[in-house]
Amino acid sequence: MFGIPIPIPPIPTIPQLVFFGIAAMTVVGALIVVLASNLFHNALGLALTFFGVAGIYILAEAEFVAVSQVLVYVGAITTLISFAIMLTRGMMKGGVSARNQQSGTALIITLLTFLVLAATMRFSAWPRQATAPILDFEAVIRNLGASFVNEYVIAFELLALLLLVALAGAIVLARDRK
């Protein structure tokens, strides 16, 4: 009208639209985890969040990490749900309040953590140049698998033992005493 050009925002590309959709799904899942009062709904929101994170890994072309995310975290949700149901029967029936007196403290700590992370991201010197692309993906996965069964086998065995003991403890705590 007065000769001032109005900037037209660029049209988002398909990968950007997919990212925004996956990011929205992840945020909605995280909000369900935090805000839902039913424990089962919290676990489902966590599964949705984990699927969203796996989708972001796929967009970042980290397919192995995405598959690991789905197998480990989303697969572990069933264990989480069983732990939650076994250990909090009273909360599932509505006999115990899901809220406590520490909501204000949690909000303050969350905001402080967000501010620290935002400041770190804002004032850190990020590298301007990407590293060299990995050309032999099969060798990377082969080396990763070899590390799992050679160097880190004891850590994985101890983790499996810890999860087994935790499951047995949850069963003992949750069983009905007659």
Side-chain angles (χ1 to χ4, degrees):
M1 180 169 176
F2 295 105
I4 301 172
I6 299 173
I8 300 173
I11 298 172
T13 63
I14 298 295
Q16 289 173 335
L17 291 174
V18 171
F19 172 78
F20 290 139
I22 291 173
M25 178 182 75
T26 306
V27 169
V28 166
L31 287 173
I32 291 171
V33 170
V34 175
L35 299 176
S37 60
N38 187 332
L39 197 56
F40 185 71
H41 294 155
N42 295 121
L44 291 178
L46 192 58
L48 183 66
T49 303
F50 286 150
F51 270 120
V53 170
I56 292 173
Y57 286 145
I58 289 172
L59 286 177
E61 296 181 1
E63 290 86 6
F64 180 77
V65 180
V67 170
S68 299
Q69 172 83 13
V70 170
L71 291 176
V72 174
Y73 289 102
V74 178
I77 290 301
T78 56
T79 305
L80 173 71
I81 290 172
S82 63
F83 275 135
I85 290 172
M86 285 190 292
L87 293 175
T88 57
R89 253 191 230 144
M91 191 179 292
M92 291 298 292
K93 295 177 184 174
V96 178
S97 173
R99 307 281 180 216
N100 60 27
Q101 303 299 324
Q102 299 176 354
S103 298
T105 305
L107 179 65
I108 291 170
I109 291 172
T110 302
L111 290 175
L112 287 175
T113 303
F114 176 77
L115 290 174
V116 168
L117 290 174
T120 302
M121 288 174 52
R122 174 71 175 102
F123 297 111
S124 292
W126 298 98
R128 302 269 185 221
Q129 189 175 21
T131 59
I134 299 172
L135 299 176
D136 190 9
F137 294 109
E138 292 177 2
V140 171
I141 293 174
R142 188 178 321 111
N143 292 338
L144 186 61
S147 295
F148 283 157
V149 296
N150 292 327
E151 297 171 34
Y152 302 112
V153 69
I154 293 175
F156 281 112
E157 292 294 330
L158 289 175
L159 182 63
L161 181 65
L162 176 70
L163 289 173
L164 179 66
V165 169
L167 181 61
I171 291 170
V172 167
L173 287 174
R175 73 172 188 213
D176 290 329
R177 293 190 171 94
K178 295 180 183 179

